[in-house]
Amino acid sequence: MDDTFEMAEEAPGTRFLLFPQSPFRTADPEPELVEISAPPGTIGPGPSGPRMYAVNPLGKTIPFGAIVPGPSGPGMYLPPWHGEVQEPPAPDEDGHFTHVLPSDPGFEAAHLFAAAHFTLDVWEAYFGHPIPWHFARDYDRLELSLLPSLDNAHIGWGFLETGGTWEHGGEYRAYSLNFDVVAHEIGHAIIYSVAGMPVSDDVPGEYFGFHESAADMVALIASLHFGSVVEELLENTRGNLYTFNQLNRFAELAGSAQIRMAANTRTLQEFVSGWSSEHALSEPLTGAMFDILVDIFHERLLVHDLITPEMEDLSDQLEETPYYSDVMQALFDARYALDPEGFRISLLEARDFLGAYLAEAWSMLDAENLTYAAVEKALLIVDQETTGGAFHSIIEGNFRMRGIGFAQAGPRLAEADEDSHANSVRTRVPGS
């Protein structure tokens, strides 16, 4: 690989309309035209394709993954759904789904399918090969199921099921329409496939924090493949990515509500005495990854002479101070105005460097021995093999700032609750 990562040339794919970000952010959200990798004519009603298919069940009340009575005793309730379904959206005469609009009853199923497929496409390009499902022992395809009564979204053995929330003014907000939520769940499936599922109870706690962080990075990198997201991000920040912006919000349900931040100041030292939530435990690793993305972005801006070395040094010096925004925003405003397209190209280059690095690094990891330090080591190996160590100091420096390499997470302090990844249907395997 040379000093830029180039995505493979793509053949024409099947077109859908997708909301790149939560449609509940604004009064009049605009979906974006996207193409998934499957050629026109290969996706049937449902939508249904070779890797996954969507269903909108009628009368379904039990979520997949639940333990239910069976003829041989209690067992997991798993796909496929055999009951009635709402009429599925069908392709047009050219094989596309762009005629399925947000006002269409079938749009939710089409959106769920397209969001899941689009995310998988993005990451298979970074990996350079198809990513097999971790449940391939029993299923060839992923069933995408809509269950409005479920106040959650989760992926499990052969299924990705999404519900919604009523927490915002009594309005139902479907998780299937939130790209970040769907991409995050596909991220869990990717990690299960490439790093494996734990086969014992002795895995380090950092494995579960890593899972949440990696799923967040899958969603973040995938979201940067929408032209509208990149454009809005840069127009709002002028390239100063440390400002509060839509890139570092996950599972955004309203303009001022988000589950957790990618740009954060959490360190691993905060968890040496133990931890209760893998979501919180993930934040030091996610924060390090976000900082690496920003630093690589700055390096690419330097390569293209879009910022000066003095400006980059000042950004590093002020990063953890209250003066950062006041000083740096004016500098970014001036530089961005000179070449907005150059900033866009630099951001896409940083996105692709980090996406390719993560794909290779994650493939080196093993669930039973997974720590944040192991993630750093894998990234440094990839960096050395890819660029001769061009980003060594960036990777090492940001991991050290988070205490990774100096500290390790302590034991779980409380039993895993229903919100825990470790105690969810995601990790249940039939027959085990």
Side-chain angles (χ1 to χ4, degrees):
M1 184 183 294
D2 61 14
D3 68 342
T4 59
F5 174 79
E6 296 184 1
M7 301 292 284
E9 191 71 25
E10 296 181 359
T14 303
R15 298 171 186 167
F16 286 81
L17 295 177
L18 265 183
F19 289 120
Q21 299 180 86
S22 168
F24 309 111
R25 297 166 61 242
T26 61
D28 298 303
E30 288 289 334
E32 185 168 325
L33 178 68
V34 301
E35 284 189 359
I36 64 170
S37 62
T42 63
I43 305 299
S48 176
R51 298 298 307 276
M52 59 188 72
Y53 62 97
V55 294
N56 191 349
L58 294 176
K60 187 174 188 289
T61 58
I62 301 173
F64 286 132
I67 303 301
V68 297
S72 302
M76 289 177 65
Y77 178 45
L78 294 173
W81 167 253
H82 293 292
E84 295 184 19
V85 299
Q86 181 175 297
E87 183 177 355
D92 62 20
E93 59 183 10
D94 296 319
H96 301 295
F97 286 78
T98 50
H99 64 290
V100 184
L101 303 176
S103 58
D104 192 299
F107 182 75
E108 194 177 339
H111 192 279
L112 176 57
F113 178 90
H117 209 298
F118 184 85
T119 303
L120 190 63
D121 288 344
V122 165
W123 283 93
E124 288 189 336
Y126 287 129
F127 278 90
H129 59 77
I131 301 170
W133 296 122
H134 64 284
F135 49 77
R137 181 193 78 185
D138 296 331
Y139 298 101
D140 294 329
R141 299 191 297 167
L142 174 69
E143 179 164 312
L144 304 164
S145 178
L146 300 170
L147 185 63
S149 61
L150 178 68
D151 186 9
N152 200 354
H154 52 215
I155 198 160
W157 199 255
F159 65 88
L160 194 169
E161 194 158 45
T162 63
T165 178
W166 294 89
E167 291 182 0
H168 298 270
E171 174 193 11
Y172 178 70
R173 297 184 172 184
Y175 292 130
S176 61
L177 300 181
N178 191 318
F179 179 81
D180 281 345
V181 170
V182 178
H184 179 96
E185 294 306 318
I186 292 294
H188 283 303
I190 290 172
I191 295 304
Y192 282 141
S193 178
V194 301
M197 299 183 74
V199 296
S200 72
D201 295 329
D202 297 328
V203 294
E206 289 173 26
Y207 168 82
F208 299 107
F210 161 77
H211 235 291
E212 292 302 326
S213 174
D216 279 346
M217 293 310 299
V218 165
L220 188 152
I221 295 292
S223 74
L224 287 176
H225 283 260
F226 290 96
S228 62
V229 170
V230 173
E231 180 180 0
E232 185 180 348
L233 172 67
L234 291 175
E235 282 298 309
N236 287 344
T237 67
R238 297 299 195 266
N240 180 15
L241 299 189
Y242 279 122
T243 195
F244 187 81
N245 59 71
Q246 69 270 32
L247 177 60
N248 56 26
R249 295 184 183 192
F250 287 102
E252 188 178 61
L253 302 175
S256 60
Q258 64 279 341
I259 292 178
R260 53 200 180 276
M261 300 290 293
N264 65 73
T265 58
R266 302 297 294 270
T267 68
L268 197 53
Q269 285 95 329
E270 298 175 44
F271 300 93
V272 293
S273 297
W275 56 280
S276 300
S277 164
E278 53 255 46
H279 297 293
L281 180 58
S282 74
E283 289 181 339
L285 182 58
T286 303
M289 294 300 181
F290 182 77
D291 291 345
I292 289 169
L293 174 66
V294 174
D295 285 344
I296 294 177
F297 175 48
H298 290 175
E299 289 293 324
R300 300 311 299 173
L301 291 174
L302 270 176
V303 166
H304 297 302
D305 294 322
L306 297 170
I307 63 173
T308 64
E310 293 77 15
M311 183 174 168
E312 186 193 30
D313 290 342
L314 185 60
S315 175
D316 292 339
Q317 293 170 22
L318 297 179
E319 184 178 325
E320 298 297 327
T321 74
Y323 313 109
Y324 185 93
S325 181
D326 291 340
V327 174
M328 295 306 302
Q329 192 61 61
L331 295 174
F332 273 103
D333 287 348
R335 287 287 176 169
Y336 179 78
L338 297 174
D339 192 352
E341 177 62 12
F343 270 67
R344 187 188 72 86
I345 291 171
S346 297
L347 179 56
L348 298 189
E349 289 172 347
R351 173 201 72 184
D352 288 341
F353 266 118
L354 185 56
Y357 273 37
L358 289 175
E360 291 192 47
W362 291 342
S363 300
M364 299 178 184
L365 302 176
D366 174 65
E368 292 296 308
N369 303 292
L370 204 156
T371 63
Y372 292 177
V375 177
E376 178 194 3
K377 181 179 179 181
L379 282 170
L380 290 173
I381 291 172
V382 172
D383 182 51
Q384 183 62 39
E385 293 178 347
T386 302
T387 65
F391 304 129
H392 183 103
S393 61
I394 287 176
I395 296 168
E396 187 174 66
N398 282 302
F399 272 82
R400 291 299 169 273
M401 284 180 60
R402 303 294 174 155
I404 299 169
F406 297 135
Q408 284 188 310
R412 184 190 291 272
L413 298 176
E415 289 295 321
D417 61 20
E418 61 182 11
D419 294 326
S420 168
H421 177 87
N423 192 41
S424 73
V425 298
R426 295 186 185 102
T427 53
R428 292 178 189 158
V429 177
S432 62

